[in-house]
Amino acid sequence: MSTKSKTKYFMKLKNIVPFKITFLFLIFLAPSAFAQPTHKKTDDQLITDYLHKGYKYQVNKQPDLAMIEYDKVLKLDSTNHTAYYNTALIYANSKQQLKAIAICDKALQFCTEDLADFYRTKANCYSDLQQYEEALPLFHKALLLEGSEANDNTHYNLGYTYFKLQKWESAIVYLNKYLERSDEESGSVGDALFFLATCYSESGDDNKAIQYFDKAIAKSPHYSYYYNKAETLVNLNKKDEALKVINEALVSYPDKADLYFKKSQIYTSLKQTEKAKIELKRGYEIDSTNTNILLDMGVIYEHDNQMDMAITMYKKCIELKGNLSGAYGNLALIYGDIELKRDSALYYFQKALSVDNKNPINYYNMGNYYREEKKYDLALEMYAKAIELKPLLAAAYTNTAIIYEDKKDLKKAIDLALKALDIEPDDYYANSYLASLYFDSTDYENTILYTTKALRLSANPNIDHLLLYKRGVSRQIVGDYKNALHDYLDIVKRYSDDEKKDHADVYSNIGYCYMEDDQLQASLKYFQEAVNYKPDIDQLIGLFTVQYLLNDKVGSNKTVSKAKKVEPKLKQGYKGIEQLEKDGYFYTKKHKEILKQILN
């Protein structure tokens, strides 16, 4: 039987264009030169002088000298809000986020007023470090302390943080609050609209997403807004509209390689391969270091069976340190098909996992590798991890089932195949594979059920001989001879002369069905054909039975003699039939009664 051994995934399950760095954080307020200590200090005038000097140095981009002045302040007053805040700001702006966080922690320990500034600054530093889970509660503390006078930036950054955590509903709430409170001329309004559009798209409301993409484009027509609007239109199956959006973007951004990349993807989805190649090559000419383009170039070369060029593209991705998981994974799949390169395949599968151990497809593909190597325990471990990361990865359940099928644990295999089918109920392969498992476990009613489903889903059921055969056999065994005949006759009418010789069993099964339906002349015709093609025991038993029923005693006895030479068990008479049943042959009650008469 055929198996779903591997599936290539090119790391394009969701295409998000890179966001502009300029709007990631509305982090820090300008340094405060005039904030005064809130408590009586040891030398108020001296502290004021130090703060003014520090501020001046900070404005003139002399942060080291500024921090010397702020340190003097803190030695005189360990609760001075301004000195802590401006010191933290210097560290944060110089990409020393951990030091900025440490200063904020000291301020939160010693200061009593304006604590929201430190929670917000600390949160922004965690965001800079992409530690969004740590940032989230700090933004909320800042918002709680600010109350009705909340800084607009806090709402924006809360929305952005939820966005990065893929908590779309919460992101929508805070981004909308930011838009309600912010000045229409604010430089981040377009970005907030863009994030909102993406949230709606990720939440499945693509139509609403389009509305917000349009608002973002009207506010600030950045190329990434066009890009993601086109992506959303593709999700809505409005691919022609998506092409128009990309073409509109190219008028303003003719040198953006990403736009040609997206145009290529749209043409690919429209099955316009040549146009896709042209656009991808245009993008490559503009930016030969764009790893998204390089990865897709590799895929195109693979499809054209230019494996050396595909390997070159993937290795360029690796050199540029972009799309590493996809490049390593695709190299592994190429080498996995080359017997002498199987060790290289394992190396690249492991590299793909090392750079992205959260991607279920990396575990799935490595599971396929181990399964093909018959290392079942390792394969099962990989599939289990893939399912843990992506519970709806139907192929992982199916390929796990194949392992248990190989282990002869059909019950476990069927349970897993049913899980795969729950996920993808209209998948042709899942239905046909489950039908085969039921057939092998002699559950013929379910075999009929799932072969029928699979045949309805098949692109061309008339040539799916194996499924038709299994359904025909199952119908024959449960006594539905008329419908079994339809299946068998559908098969044989499409056989070439050479195929007829290889499938004598189908002709004999037709003979058995006609015999059970008492159409003896038709039965005789097909048994004679079956014996001519292949005089095996099953064909011979059928032929001498129908000859006997037609009162052709001479012909029947002659065929019985041939049958005994082919299968010596028949020399024991009817006991030989009982032994053949133990070997897996099937005879109806009616047929066995006739065989007793013939052989005894």
Side-chain angles (χ1 to χ4, degrees), residues 247-444:
N247 286 330
E248 183 183 344
L250 284 168
V251 172
S252 301
Y253 301 97
D255 295 328
K256 282 294 181 183
D258 281 329
L259 295 174
Y260 293 101
F261 167 72
K262 172 52 60 185
K263 197 172 179 181
S264 170
Q265 285 192 317
I266 296 170
Y267 277 130
T268 297
S269 69
L270 290 168
K271 303 189 184 305
Q272 298 182 35
T273 307
E274 291 307 314
K275 288 184 178 180
K277 288 181 185 178
I278 291 169
E279 297 303 328
L280 198 61
K281 287 177 180 176
R282 284 178 181 169
Y284 182 74
E285 288 168 4
I286 293 168
D287 184 2
S288 62
T289 65
N290 185 310
T291 54
N292 285 332
I293 292 173
L294 288 169
L295 193 69
D296 269 21
M297 291 282 284
V299 173
I300 284 176
Y301 282 124
E302 275 196 74
H303 288 170
D304 291 343
N305 206 28
Q306 298 183 54
M307 294 305 175
D308 288 343
M309 287 300 297
I311 289 169
T312 298
M313 292 296 111
Y314 297 143
K315 288 189 174 179
K316 279 188 179 180
C317 286
I318 293 167
E319 289 171 12
L320 295 165
K321 302 187 184 302
N323 279 315
L324 291 176
S325 180
Y328 284 133
N330 289 357
L331 279 172
L333 291 170
I334 289 174
Y335 288 130
D337 289 334
I338 305 170
E339 188 60 37
L340 296 178
K341 294 281 189 177
R342 298 282 291 173
D343 289 344
S344 295
L346 178 58
Y347 167 79
Y348 283 113
F349 278 131
Q350 290 171 335
K351 290 292 289 182
L353 271 177
S354 71
V355 297
D356 188 359
N357 63 2
K358 299 297 183 184
N359 190 328
I361 304 309
N362 287 336
Y363 291 98
Y364 170 79
N365 283 338
M366 197 164 185
N368 290 340
Y369 171 85
Y370 282 131
R371 183 171 64 82
E372 290 166 4
E373 293 290 309
K374 305 294 183 185
K375 295 179 179 179
Y376 289 148
D377 288 344
L378 290 172
L380 290 172
E381 183 182 335
M382 293 297 107
Y383 290 142
K385 187 64 179 177
I387 290 168
E388 177 187 333
L389 291 168
K390 188 176 181 181
L392 298 182
L393 185 56
Y397 289 104
T398 300
N399 285 8
T400 304
I402 290 170
I403 291 176
Y404 282 103
E405 180 190 11
D406 288 347
K407 289 173 170 283
K408 310 301 181 187
D409 188 345
L410 291 179
K411 184 179 182 304
K412 181 73 172 176
I414 287 170
D415 288 343
L416 288 160
L418 284 168
K419 287 182 180 178
L421 200 61
D422 283 342
I423 297 167
E424 296 181 358
D426 294 329
D427 182 71
Y428 162 78
Y429 177 80
N431 281 280
S432 61
Y433 178 57
L434 186 57
S436 294
L437 289 174
Y438 278 126
F439 185 80
D440 292 341
S441 61
T442 68
D443 183 342
Y444 298 112

Side-chain angles (χ1 to χ4, degrees), residues 86-299:
N86 288 356
T87 301
L89 185 62
I90 289 170
Y91 280 128
N93 283 337
S94 62
K95 307 300 180 185
Q96 299 181 71
Q97 277 79 14
L98 292 178
K99 288 184 178 180
I101 289 169
I103 294 296
C104 289
D105 285 337
K106 280 188 179 180
L108 290 168
Q109 181 181 357
F110 295 112
C111 296
T112 57
E113 295 182 3
D114 298 323
L115 299 184
D117 289 342
F118 297 110
Y119 283 118
R120 191 188 319 107
T121 302
K122 186 176 176 182
N124 284 321
C125 287
Y126 277 123
S127 289
D128 264 336
L129 296 169
Q130 298 183 14
Q131 296 180 25
Y132 302 108
E133 291 285 2
E134 288 81 356
L136 189 61
L138 297 170
F139 280 130
H140 276 293
K141 283 185 179 180
L143 193 64
L144 185 64
L145 289 169
E146 292 169 338
S148 60
E149 300 299 318
N151 189 318
D152 291 346
N153 293 350
T154 307
H155 290 103
Y156 178 92
N157 285 345
L158 262 171
Y160 177 78
T161 303
Y162 277 120
F163 175 89
K164 294 301 290 185
L165 291 170
Q166 298 185 7
K167 297 180 178 180
W168 314 119
E169 291 183 7
S170 295
I172 288 169
V173 168
Y174 286 100
L175 288 168
N176 272 318
K177 284 186 178 180
Y178 167 75
L179 290 171
E180 289 168 7
R181 297 165 57 94
S182 65
D183 185 336
E184 185 64 27
E185 299 306 313
S186 170
S188 294
V189 167
D191 301 332
L193 290 166
F194 173 72
F195 287 134
L196 267 174
T198 306
C199 288
Y200 284 122
S201 179
E202 293 288 350
S203 300
D205 192 346
D206 287 322
N207 286 307
K208 197 161 190 176
I210 294 296
Q211 295 175 24
Y212 279 91
F213 280 129
D214 285 339
K215 289 180 181 180
I217 290 168
K219 180 67 181 172
S220 174
H222 189 265
Y223 85 94
S224 62
Y225 301 175
Y226 290 103
Y227 184 106
N228 280 30
K229 179 183 175 183
E231 179 74 15
T232 305
L233 286 167
V234 169
N235 293 341
L236 290 167
N237 203 30
K238 297 180 178 180
K239 296 172 184 176
D240 290 335
E241 287 185 42
L243 280 173
K244 289 179 182 177
V245 169
I246 294 298
N247 286 330
E248 183 183 344
L250 284 168
V251 172
S252 301
Y253 301 97
D255 295 328
K256 282 294 181 183
D258 281 329
L259 295 174
Y260 293 101
F261 167 72
K262 172 52 60 185
K263 197 172 179 181
S264 170
Q265 285 192 317
I266 296 170
Y267 277 130
T268 297
S269 69
L270 290 168
K271 303 189 184 305
Q272 298 182 35
T273 307
E274 291 307 314
K275 288 184 178 180
K277 288 181 185 178
I278 291 169
E279 297 303 328
L280 198 61
K281 287 177 180 176
R282 284 178 181 169
Y284 182 74
E285 288 168 4
I286 293 168
D287 184 2
S288 62
T289 65
N290 185 310
T291 54
N292 285 332
I293 292 173
L294 288 169
L295 193 69
D296 269 21
M297 291 282 284
V299 173

